Amino acid sequence: MKKKAIITVLLTTTLSLAGCSDKANSDQTATNATSVESIESTAINSESSIFETADDTETLTQISLQSTTFPLPTTVENADIYVAPIPDLSDNFIRGMDVSSILAEEKSGVKYLNADGVAQDVFTTMAEAGVNYARIRIWNDPYDENGNGYGGGNNDLATAIELGKRATENGMKVCIDFHYSDFWADPAKQMCPKAWVDLSLEEKSDALYQFTKDSLTQLLENGVDVSMIQVGNETNNGMAGETQIPNIAKLMNSGSKAVREVSKNYDKDIKVALHYTNANDYDGIDSILYKLSSFQVDYDIFALSYYPYWHGTFDNLQKVMENIQEKYGKETLIAETAYCYTTKDTDGSGNSVGETDLIDGYGATVQSQSTALRDVCATANDAGALGVFYWEGAWIAVGDATANNSPIWEEFGSGWASSYAATYDPNDAGKYYGGCSWDNQALFGADGKPLESLNTFKWLKYGTNAEPAIDLVLTPTVTCNIGDQLQLPETVDVIYNNRTLNTALPIEWYEEQVKNIDTSKAGTYEIDGKILDDAAESDKPNEACCIVTVELHNYVINPSFEDSDTSMWKISYEGDKNPTDFQQKETDAHTGEYAFHFWSESDMDFSIEQEFSNLEPGTYELKAYFQGGDIDETAQMELYASIDETFVSDPFTAQGYANWQEPTISSINVIDGTLKVGIRIQCNAKGWGTIDDITLHKIN
């Protein structure tokens, strides 16, 4: 076996310091650097960079590209946005950005600017803002038989090398995200590369190993500072066309093996990461980790996608990451996150996230975008994670939002998918191809200028000083029972840039709009008002909106089981095992995603009940929705209401899947404000059903 010697050819390394003189910068230049010209005259590829020497030593020539580093602040800075500090944050915390679309954007005519509006390499702008890690996806062959790109950045190996070199030159480490597909891989699709379709599992495993090894070798030989490899992208439900856990594990180990071998050959520490999503599913993630352990998959980092509008609370995210580290001994990081700064569409092709996706306490503003990013980073840091990658923060609009930009997207691949992708992915890209749906979540504006939220990365540790300013005013909602007198809120909740200043401010609703509300019949109204406070200056939000709904008020708390707090429902059952659960399955719910579900291997006898103690005297109507099947005719099922010694009920039967029954009790006389309502079911083993949308209305 030949010995290996590694010759590293260093180019200039520069430390960029704000406010330093040219001489000071020049003094930081490495004196032992080989000239750029001499390196450029050397062929850099996998064939010419490995050669034999007289002493039978295999020599690997690596290029260390000219690299400029940008120091982080050492104290709090003044800014137009407020960033709360994370004092214990390490300077090595990954402040990453997925940069995969940048080359396609630039080819499409996008011009990136710096904060002063001057054209500048976008990687330099990101590095100045504190980004220290670039994430780049690689697809095997994102082109049709005529060489037309599938879009989404046309991210082949050559593109990754070009992007990786620019990242390295700006002091960033690089994470390579292998999808092992010719186009997008995610939980909904893990399509096999065209070249691997007819291969056996063993052959596919070998092909994946070789593809990983060859790609990583070429990246390193071109000077890209690869420090992390993702073996697969959001692989919850498969990888490279495989869906069975043993097969997926085999492929993952092949990718990991390639990374380990190349790392050793180049004497470079490169971490292996596996990437999953659905961070909101604690038990599901734990199950994945257990299976990976059972099949002895070799990896270092368990990476998660976490989008706060899709993947649950920050508290749950922290628990998930802590479990990964404590129970399975793996490092963690957030491989993808994002949040919007506007709900407007800037490229004419629609957005993935809009008004209905906003999370409580965060608006569609640059300040809220920054705060959301900061809060994800704080959660990751509290959990002991390595860091956070922001997904595609530079994927901005191509062309004007009112123009037909399809020809540009088609030619340069700067949209989510081109029409050419239909031959490979007819069920998704072939139906929904078009522009970018992420532009309103970028950290750059449609004009190519960085938003101030981009600087969140460099301000994470020490934070910023900013004048107190209202970020958003929450919209209260009021439900008025038909025939009742409308009661509007006297204050509105106000969210400041510094969330510790949040408060409720007095509001004056515009009288003319209030007069137009008719409480004698059902309807929905939107009224405006003026905030009565000095903080609401003319250049800040000084108005609020209230949504008024006139309808029969439902007194049942959590009537559709959508809220995670179900403590208001009392569940009683006979036997050792509870046959019920609050099931998240939209197809089995009457509305929403959740319903009260039952099934058991044995006979069932249970009830679900809610009690009231402060109802207004009057006549009430109780209603519920039920679907079920495989239930004998002898079963006893009823909706009931109980007041003291009075018990009234309405029996119902199971009529099959999605055939919703509506048991109703129309005349419930409440005198002293107390009432119990519920559903009781006695039925045979393996009968099933769901209960949803329980309503209690005051009708008189």
Side-chain angles (χ1 to χ4, degrees), residues 97 100 151 352 376 537 561:
M97 178 95 80
S100 303
S352 294
V376 172
E537 300 172 5
F561 314 106

Side-chain angles (χ1 to χ4, degrees), residues 317-384:
L317 174 65
Q318 181 171 339
K319 291 175 183 176
V320 168
M321 290 190 291
E322 288 173 344
N323 182 61
I324 294 167
Q325 297 167 94
E326 295 168 4
K327 187 174 179 179
Y328 297 95
K330 298 298 181 180
E331 296 175 298
T332 62
L333 65 81
I334 303 301
E336 296 181 16
T337 195
Y339 199 76
C340 63
Y341 72 92
T342 181
T343 56
K344 294 179 180 178
D345 176 33
T346 64
D347 73 345
S349 67
N351 297 327
S352 294
V353 169
E355 196 73 36
T356 58
D357 298 295
L358 300 178
I359 58 176
D360 291 344
Y362 301 80
T365 66
V366 173
Q367 175 65 66
S368 281
Q369 183 184 51
S370 170
T371 302
L373 173 56
R374 179 265 172 205
D375 291 349
V376 172
C377 291
T379 301
N381 183 64
D382 288 345

